[in-house]
Short mmCIF file of all heavy atoms in Angstrom, two decimals:
data_model
loop_
_atom_site.label_atom_id
_atom_site.label_comp_id
_atom_site.label_asym_id
_atom_site.label_seq_id
_atom_site.Cartn_x
_atom_site.Cartn_y
_atom_site.Cartn_z
N TYR A 15 4.98 32.58 6.60
CA TYR A 15 4.47 32.46 5.23
C TYR A 15 3.66 31.20 4.95
O TYR A 15 3.12 31.07 3.85
CB TYR A 15 5.63 32.56 4.22
CG TYR A 15 6.21 33.95 4.15
CD1 TYR A 15 7.28 34.32 4.94
CD2 TYR A 15 5.64 34.90 3.32
CE1 TYR A 15 7.79 35.61 4.90
CE2 TYR A 15 6.14 36.20 3.27
CZ TYR A 15 7.22 36.54 4.06
OH TYR A 15 7.71 37.82 4.03
N SER A 16 3.53 30.29 5.90
CA SER A 16 2.82 29.03 5.60
C SER A 16 1.35 29.27 5.26
O SER A 16 0.83 28.68 4.31
CB SER A 16 2.96 28.04 6.75
OG SER A 16 2.41 28.56 7.93
N LYS A 17 0.67 30.14 5.99
CA LYS A 17 -0.74 30.41 5.70
C LYS A 17 -0.88 31.09 4.34
O LYS A 17 -1.79 30.76 3.58
CB LYS A 17 -1.37 31.28 6.78
CG LYS A 17 -1.58 30.55 8.07
CD LYS A 17 -2.20 31.43 9.12
CE LYS A 17 -2.33 30.66 10.43
NZ LYS A 17 -2.80 31.51 11.51
N TYR A 18 0.00 32.00 4.02
CA TYR A 18 -0.01 32.70 2.73
C TYR A 18 0.17 31.70 1.60
O TYR A 18 -0.57 31.72 0.61
CB TYR A 18 1.12 33.74 2.73
CG TYR A 18 1.28 34.49 1.43
CD1 TYR A 18 0.45 35.57 1.13
CD2 TYR A 18 2.28 34.14 0.53
CE1 TYR A 18 0.61 36.27 -0.06
CE2 TYR A 18 2.43 34.84 -0.66
CZ TYR A 18 1.60 35.90 -0.94
OH TYR A 18 1.75 36.59 -2.12
N ILE A 19 1.13 30.80 1.74
CA ILE A 19 1.41 29.79 0.71
C ILE A 19 0.20 28.87 0.56
O ILE A 19 -0.27 28.62 -0.55
CB ILE A 19 2.68 28.99 1.07
CG1 ILE A 19 3.91 29.88 0.98
CG2 ILE A 19 2.82 27.76 0.16
CD1 ILE A 19 5.17 29.26 1.58
N TYR A 20 -0.30 28.37 1.67
CA TYR A 20 -1.43 27.43 1.62
C TYR A 20 -2.67 28.09 1.01
O TYR A 20 -3.37 27.50 0.19
CB TYR A 20 -1.74 26.90 3.02
CG TYR A 20 -2.78 25.80 3.02
CD1 TYR A 20 -2.46 24.53 2.57
CD2 TYR A 20 -4.06 26.05 3.46
CE1 TYR A 20 -3.41 23.52 2.55
CE2 TYR A 20 -5.02 25.05 3.44
CZ TYR A 20 -4.68 23.79 2.99
OH TYR A 20 -5.63 22.80 2.97
N TRP A 21 -2.92 29.34 1.38
CA TRP A 21 -4.08 30.08 0.85
C TRP A 21 -4.01 30.17 -0.67
O TRP A 21 -4.99 29.95 -1.36
CB TRP A 21 -4.11 31.47 1.50
CG TRP A 21 -5.23 32.33 1.09
CD1 TRP A 21 -6.54 32.24 1.48
CD2 TRP A 21 -5.18 33.45 0.21
NE1 TRP A 21 -7.28 33.24 0.89
CE2 TRP A 21 -6.48 33.99 0.10
CE3 TRP A 21 -4.15 34.06 -0.51
CZ2 TRP A 21 -6.77 35.10 -0.67
CZ3 TRP A 21 -4.45 35.16 -1.28
CH2 TRP A 21 -5.74 35.66 -1.37
N HIS A 22 -2.81 30.46 -1.19
CA HIS A 22 -2.65 30.55 -2.65
C HIS A 22 -2.74 29.18 -3.31
O HIS A 22 -3.24 29.07 -4.43
CB HIS A 22 -1.35 31.25 -3.02
CG HIS A 22 -1.47 32.74 -2.91
ND1 HIS A 22 -2.15 33.50 -3.82
CD2 HIS A 22 -1.02 33.60 -1.97
CE1 HIS A 22 -2.11 34.77 -3.46
NE2 HIS A 22 -1.43 34.85 -2.34
N ILE A 23 -2.26 28.15 -2.66
CA ILE A 23 -2.36 26.80 -3.21
C ILE A 23 -3.82 26.40 -3.36
O ILE A 23 -4.21 25.79 -4.36
CB ILE A 23 -1.61 25.78 -2.32
CG1 ILE A 23 -0.10 25.98 -2.47
CG2 ILE A 23 -2.01 24.35 -2.66
CD1 ILE A 23 0.72 25.22 -1.46
N MET A 24 -4.64 26.79 -2.42
CA MET A 24 -6.05 26.41 -2.46
C MET A 24 -6.80 27.13 -3.58
O MET A 24 -7.94 26.79 -3.87
CB MET A 24 -6.71 26.62 -1.10
CG MET A 24 -6.15 25.70 -0.01
SD MET A 24 -6.03 23.96 -0.47
CE MET A 24 -7.76 23.50 -0.47
N ASP A 25 -6.15 28.09 -4.26
CA ASP A 25 -6.72 28.67 -5.48
C ASP A 25 -6.72 27.65 -6.61
O ASP A 25 -7.47 27.78 -7.57
CB ASP A 25 -5.92 29.89 -5.95
CG ASP A 25 -6.21 31.14 -5.14
OD1 ASP A 25 -7.25 31.18 -4.45
OD2 ASP A 25 -5.41 32.09 -5.22
N TYR A 26 -5.87 26.65 -6.51
CA TYR A 26 -5.71 25.66 -7.57
C TYR A 26 -6.51 24.38 -7.34
O TYR A 26 -6.77 23.64 -8.28
CB TYR A 26 -4.23 25.30 -7.75
CG TYR A 26 -3.43 26.49 -8.23
CD1 TYR A 26 -2.84 27.37 -7.33
CD2 TYR A 26 -3.29 26.75 -9.57
CE1 TYR A 26 -2.13 28.47 -7.76
CE2 TYR A 26 -2.59 27.84 -10.02
CZ TYR A 26 -2.01 28.70 -9.11
OH TYR A 26 -1.32 29.80 -9.55
N THR A 27 -6.87 24.11 -6.12
CA THR A 27 -7.62 22.90 -5.83
C THR A 27 -8.49 23.13 -4.61
O THR A 27 -8.15 23.90 -3.72
CB THR A 27 -6.68 21.69 -5.59
OG1 THR A 27 -7.46 20.54 -5.31
CG2 THR A 27 -5.72 21.92 -4.44
N ASP A 28 -9.63 22.46 -4.59
CA ASP A 28 -10.50 22.53 -3.41
C ASP A 28 -10.27 21.33 -2.49
O ASP A 28 -10.90 21.22 -1.46
CB ASP A 28 -11.97 22.57 -3.84
CG ASP A 28 -12.31 23.87 -4.55
OD1 ASP A 28 -11.70 24.90 -4.22
OD2 ASP A 28 -13.17 23.85 -5.44
N ASP A 29 -9.37 20.45 -2.88
CA ASP A 29 -9.10 19.24 -2.11
C ASP A 29 -7.99 19.50 -1.10
O ASP A 29 -6.86 19.82 -1.46
CB ASP A 29 -8.70 18.11 -3.06
CG ASP A 29 -8.56 16.79 -2.33
OD1 ASP A 29 -7.58 16.64 -1.57
OD2 ASP A 29 -9.42 15.91 -2.53
N LYS A 30 -8.32 19.38 0.18
CA LYS A 30 -7.38 19.67 1.26
C LYS A 30 -6.14 18.78 1.19
O LYS A 30 -5.02 19.24 1.40
CB LYS A 30 -8.09 19.49 2.61
CG LYS A 30 -7.25 19.87 3.79
CD LYS A 30 -8.01 19.70 5.08
CE LYS A 30 -7.09 19.99 6.24
NZ LYS A 30 -7.69 19.75 7.52
N ASN A 31 -6.32 17.50 0.86
CA ASN A 31 -5.18 16.58 0.79
C ASN A 31 -4.21 16.99 -0.32
O ASN A 31 -2.99 16.97 -0.12
CB ASN A 31 -5.64 15.14 0.56
CG ASN A 31 -6.38 14.60 1.77
OD1 ASN A 31 -6.05 14.92 2.90
ND2 ASN A 31 -7.40 13.80 1.53
N PHE A 32 -4.75 17.34 -1.49
CA PHE A 32 -3.89 17.80 -2.58
C PHE A 32 -3.18 19.09 -2.15
O PHE A 32 -2.00 19.28 -2.42
CB PHE A 32 -4.68 18.05 -3.86
CG PHE A 32 -5.14 16.80 -4.55
CD1 PHE A 32 -6.30 16.81 -5.28
CD2 PHE A 32 -4.43 15.61 -4.47
CE1 PHE A 32 -6.74 15.67 -5.94
CE2 PHE A 32 -4.85 14.47 -5.12
CZ PHE A 32 -6.01 14.50 -5.85
N GLY A 33 -3.93 19.97 -1.51
CA GLY A 33 -3.35 21.23 -1.05
C GLY A 33 -2.18 21.02 -0.10
O GLY A 33 -1.15 21.68 -0.21
N GLU A 34 -2.33 20.07 0.82
CA GLU A 34 -1.26 19.79 1.77
C GLU A 34 -0.04 19.17 1.08
O GLU A 34 1.10 19.50 1.41
CB GLU A 34 -1.77 18.88 2.88
CG GLU A 34 -2.73 19.60 3.81
CD GLU A 34 -3.45 18.67 4.79
OE1 GLU A 34 -3.25 17.44 4.73
OE2 GLU A 34 -4.21 19.20 5.61
N ASP A 35 -0.29 18.31 0.09
CA ASP A 35 0.82 17.71 -0.66
C ASP A 35 1.58 18.78 -1.45
O ASP A 35 2.81 18.80 -1.46
CB ASP A 35 0.31 16.64 -1.63
CG ASP A 35 -0.18 15.39 -0.92
OD1 ASP A 35 0.11 15.22 0.29
OD2 ASP A 35 -0.87 14.58 -1.57
N ILE A 36 0.83 19.66 -2.08
CA ILE A 36 1.46 20.73 -2.87
C ILE A 36 2.22 21.66 -1.93
O ILE A 36 3.34 22.08 -2.23
CB ILE A 36 0.40 21.50 -3.69
CG1 ILE A 36 -0.23 20.57 -4.73
CG2 ILE A 36 1.03 22.73 -4.36
CD1 ILE A 36 -1.49 21.12 -5.38
N PHE A 37 1.63 21.97 -0.77
CA PHE A 37 2.29 22.83 0.20
C PHE A 37 3.65 22.24 0.59
O PHE A 37 4.65 22.94 0.63
CB PHE A 37 1.43 23.02 1.46
CG PHE A 37 2.14 23.77 2.55
CD1 PHE A 37 2.16 25.16 2.54
CD2 PHE A 37 2.82 23.10 3.55
CE1 PHE A 37 2.84 25.87 3.52
CE2 PHE A 37 3.50 23.81 4.53
CZ PHE A 37 3.50 25.19 4.52
N GLN A 38 3.65 20.96 0.85
CA GLN A 38 4.90 20.29 1.25
C GLN A 38 5.95 20.42 0.13
O GLN A 38 7.10 20.72 0.40
CB GLN A 38 4.63 18.83 1.56
CG GLN A 38 5.78 18.11 2.19
CD GLN A 38 5.40 16.72 2.66
OE1 GLN A 38 4.47 16.13 2.16
NE2 GLN A 38 6.13 16.21 3.63
N GLU A 39 5.55 20.21 -1.11
CA GLU A 39 6.48 20.33 -2.23
C GLU A 39 7.00 21.76 -2.37
O GLU A 39 8.19 21.98 -2.58
CB GLU A 39 5.82 19.88 -3.54
CG GLU A 39 5.68 18.38 -3.64
CD GLU A 39 5.24 17.92 -5.02
OE1 GLU A 39 5.66 18.54 -6.03
OE2 GLU A 39 4.48 16.95 -5.08
N VAL A 40 6.10 22.75 -2.23
CA VAL A 40 6.52 24.15 -2.33
C VAL A 40 7.51 24.47 -1.23
O VAL A 40 8.56 25.08 -1.47
CB VAL A 40 5.29 25.11 -2.26
CG1 VAL A 40 5.74 26.56 -2.06
CG2 VAL A 40 4.43 24.99 -3.50
N PHE A 41 7.19 24.06 -0.02
CA PHE A 41 8.06 24.40 1.11
C PHE A 41 9.43 23.74 0.97
O PHE A 41 10.44 24.36 1.28
CB PHE A 41 7.39 24.04 2.44
CG PHE A 41 7.88 24.89 3.56
CD1 PHE A 41 7.47 26.20 3.68
CD2 PHE A 41 8.81 24.40 4.46
CE1 PHE A 41 7.95 27.02 4.69
CE2 PHE A 41 9.30 25.20 5.48
CZ PHE A 41 8.87 26.52 5.59
N ILE A 42 9.46 22.51 0.49
CA ILE A 42 10.75 21.85 0.27
C ILE A 42 11.55 22.62 -0.77
O ILE A 42 12.75 22.83 -0.62
CB ILE A 42 10.54 20.37 -0.17
CG1 ILE A 42 10.04 19.55 1.03
CG2 ILE A 42 11.81 19.78 -0.75
CD1 ILE A 42 9.55 18.16 0.68
N LYS A 43 10.89 23.08 -1.83
CA LYS A 43 11.59 23.83 -2.88
C LYS A 43 12.19 25.13 -2.34
O LYS A 43 13.33 25.46 -2.64
CB LYS A 43 10.64 24.16 -4.04
CG LYS A 43 10.38 22.99 -4.94
CD LYS A 43 9.46 23.37 -6.07
CE LYS A 43 9.16 22.15 -6.93
NZ LYS A 43 8.26 22.47 -8.03
N ILE A 44 11.41 25.86 -1.54
CA ILE A 44 11.94 27.16 -1.08
C ILE A 44 13.00 26.98 0.01
O ILE A 44 13.89 27.80 0.13
CB ILE A 44 10.83 28.14 -0.64
CG1 ILE A 44 10.05 27.63 0.56
CG2 ILE A 44 9.91 28.48 -1.78
CD1 ILE A 44 9.05 28.65 1.09
N CYS A 45 12.92 25.88 0.75
CA CYS A 45 13.91 25.66 1.81
C CYS A 45 15.19 25.01 1.30
O CYS A 45 16.21 25.05 1.97
CB CYS A 45 13.31 24.82 2.94
SG CYS A 45 12.08 25.74 3.87
N SER A 46 15.13 24.39 0.14
CA SER A 46 16.34 23.76 -0.41
C SER A 46 16.90 24.58 -1.56
O SER A 46 17.65 24.08 -2.39
CB SER A 46 16.01 22.34 -0.87
OG SER A 46 15.02 22.36 -1.88
N LEU A 47 16.57 25.84 -1.58
CA LEU A 47 17.01 26.76 -2.62
C LEU A 47 18.51 27.00 -2.51
O LEU A 47 19.02 27.27 -1.44
CB LEU A 47 16.25 28.08 -2.45
CG LEU A 47 16.35 29.12 -3.51
CD1 LEU A 47 15.75 28.61 -4.82
CD2 LEU A 47 15.59 30.36 -3.07
N ALA A 48 19.20 26.88 -3.63
CA ALA A 48 20.64 27.16 -3.66
C ALA A 48 20.84 28.68 -3.69
O ALA A 48 20.03 29.40 -4.28
CB ALA A 48 21.26 26.52 -4.90
N PRO A 49 21.92 29.17 -3.07
CA PRO A 49 22.15 30.62 -3.04
C PRO A 49 22.14 31.27 -4.43
O PRO A 49 21.70 32.40 -4.58
CB PRO A 49 23.52 30.76 -2.38
CG PRO A 49 23.66 29.53 -1.55
CD PRO A 49 22.93 28.44 -2.30
N GLY A 50 22.58 30.57 -5.45
CA GLY A 50 22.60 31.13 -6.80
C GLY A 50 21.23 31.20 -7.46
O GLY A 50 21.09 31.81 -8.51
N ASN A 51 20.21 30.58 -6.84
CA ASN A 51 18.87 30.57 -7.42
C ASN A 51 17.89 31.49 -6.71
O ASN A 51 16.68 31.37 -6.89
CB ASN A 51 18.31 29.15 -7.42
CG ASN A 51 19.07 28.24 -8.35
OD1 ASN A 51 19.63 28.70 -9.35
ND2 ASN A 51 19.12 26.96 -8.04
N LEU A 52 18.39 32.39 -5.90
CA LEU A 52 17.52 33.34 -5.20
C LEU A 52 16.81 34.22 -6.22
O LEU A 52 17.34 34.46 -7.32
CB LEU A 52 18.33 34.20 -4.24
CG LEU A 52 18.85 33.49 -3.00
CD1 LEU A 52 19.88 34.36 -2.29
CD2 LEU A 52 17.73 33.14 -2.06
N PRO A 53 15.62 34.72 -5.88
CA PRO A 53 14.91 35.59 -6.83
C PRO A 53 15.73 36.83 -7.15
O PRO A 53 16.43 37.36 -6.30
CB PRO A 53 13.62 35.95 -6.08
CG PRO A 53 13.80 35.53 -4.69
CD PRO A 53 14.91 34.55 -4.62
N ARG A 54 15.65 37.26 -8.39
CA ARG A 54 16.42 38.43 -8.84
C ARG A 54 15.57 39.70 -8.85
O ARG A 54 16.10 40.79 -8.95
CB ARG A 54 16.97 38.18 -10.23
CG ARG A 54 17.83 36.94 -10.28
CD ARG A 54 18.89 37.02 -11.34
NE ARG A 54 19.63 35.81 -11.60
CZ ARG A 54 20.35 35.13 -10.73
NH1 ARG A 54 20.40 35.51 -9.50
NH2 ARG A 54 21.01 34.04 -11.08
N LYS A 55 14.26 39.53 -8.78
CA LYS A 55 13.36 40.70 -8.76
C LYS A 55 12.49 40.57 -7.52
O LYS A 55 12.99 40.35 -6.45
CB LYS A 55 12.55 40.76 -10.04
CG LYS A 55 13.42 41.10 -11.24
CD LYS A 55 12.60 41.35 -12.46
CE LYS A 55 13.54 41.71 -13.61
NZ LYS A 55 12.84 41.91 -14.84
N GLY A 56 11.17 40.66 -7.65
CA GLY A 56 10.27 40.61 -6.50
C GLY A 56 10.21 39.25 -5.83
O GLY A 56 9.92 38.24 -6.48
N ALA A 57 10.50 39.20 -4.55
CA ALA A 57 10.50 37.93 -3.81
C ALA A 57 9.09 37.36 -3.71
O ALA A 57 8.89 36.14 -3.84
CB ALA A 57 11.10 38.13 -2.42
N THR A 58 8.10 38.20 -3.51
CA THR A 58 6.72 37.72 -3.37
C THR A 58 6.21 37.17 -4.70
O THR A 58 5.59 36.10 -4.74
CB THR A 58 5.80 38.84 -2.87
OG1 THR A 58 6.35 39.39 -1.67
CG2 THR A 58 4.41 38.31 -2.57
N SER A 59 6.48 37.87 -5.79
CA SER A 59 6.02 37.36 -7.09
C SER A 59 6.78 36.09 -7.45
O SER A 59 6.22 35.19 -8.07
CB SER A 59 6.16 38.42 -8.18
OG SER A 59 7.49 38.87 -8.28
N TRP A 60 8.04 35.99 -7.05
CA TRP A 60 8.81 34.76 -7.26
C TRP A 60 8.14 33.61 -6.51
O TRP A 60 7.96 32.52 -7.07
CB TRP A 60 10.25 34.95 -6.78
CG TRP A 60 11.07 33.70 -6.82
CD1 TRP A 60 11.77 33.21 -7.87
CD2 TRP A 60 11.25 32.78 -5.74
NE1 TRP A 60 12.38 32.03 -7.52
CE2 TRP A 60 12.08 31.74 -6.22
CE3 TRP A 60 10.81 32.72 -4.43
CZ2 TRP A 60 12.47 30.66 -5.42
CZ3 TRP A 60 11.19 31.65 -3.63
CH2 TRP A 60 12.01 30.64 -4.14
N LEU A 61 7.75 33.84 -5.26
CA LEU A 61 7.09 32.80 -4.47
C LEU A 61 5.78 32.38 -5.13
O LEU A 61 5.46 31.19 -5.19
CB LEU A 61 6.85 33.28 -3.04
CG LEU A 61 6.12 32.32 -2.10
CD1 LEU A 61 6.87 31.00 -1.96
CD2 LEU A 61 5.91 32.96 -0.74
N LEU A 62 5.02 33.33 -5.63
CA LEU A 62 3.76 33.01 -6.31
C LEU A 62 4.00 32.16 -7.56
O LEU A 62 3.23 31.26 -7.86
CB LEU A 62 2.99 34.28 -6.67
CG LEU A 62 2.39 35.02 -5.48
CD1 LEU A 62 1.83 36.37 -5.91
CD2 LEU A 62 1.33 34.18 -4.79
#
């Protein structure tokens, strides 16, 4: 999912450095997700 995430992040900025910083924050959020905070409906739309 890294390319998918990065591709969508670049919809928000054309700056590669900002994109990489945002990617890192997104990835930390999804990897440190508590079991009680899992998406309740569509996983892909939750990720978006």
Side-chain angles (χ1 to χ4, degrees):
Y15 290 92
S16 61
K17 288 180 183 174
Y18 177 81
I19 292 168
Y20 187 73
W21 181 75
H22 280 286
I23 288 169
M24 295 311 288
D25 282 343
Y26 295 90
T27 180
D28 292 329
D29 187 288
K30 184 179 176 185
N31 292 324
F32 287 150
E34 289 170 357
D35 289 346
I36 296 167
F37 174 84
Q38 189 172 24
E39 285 189 36
V40 168
F41 206 75
I42 289 169
K43 283 181 183 180
I44 64 174
C45 290
S46 60
L47 189 64
N51 293 331
L52 288 168
R54 302 208 189 302
K55 291 188 179 177
T58 307
S59 57
W60 174 87
L61 178 59
L62 289 172

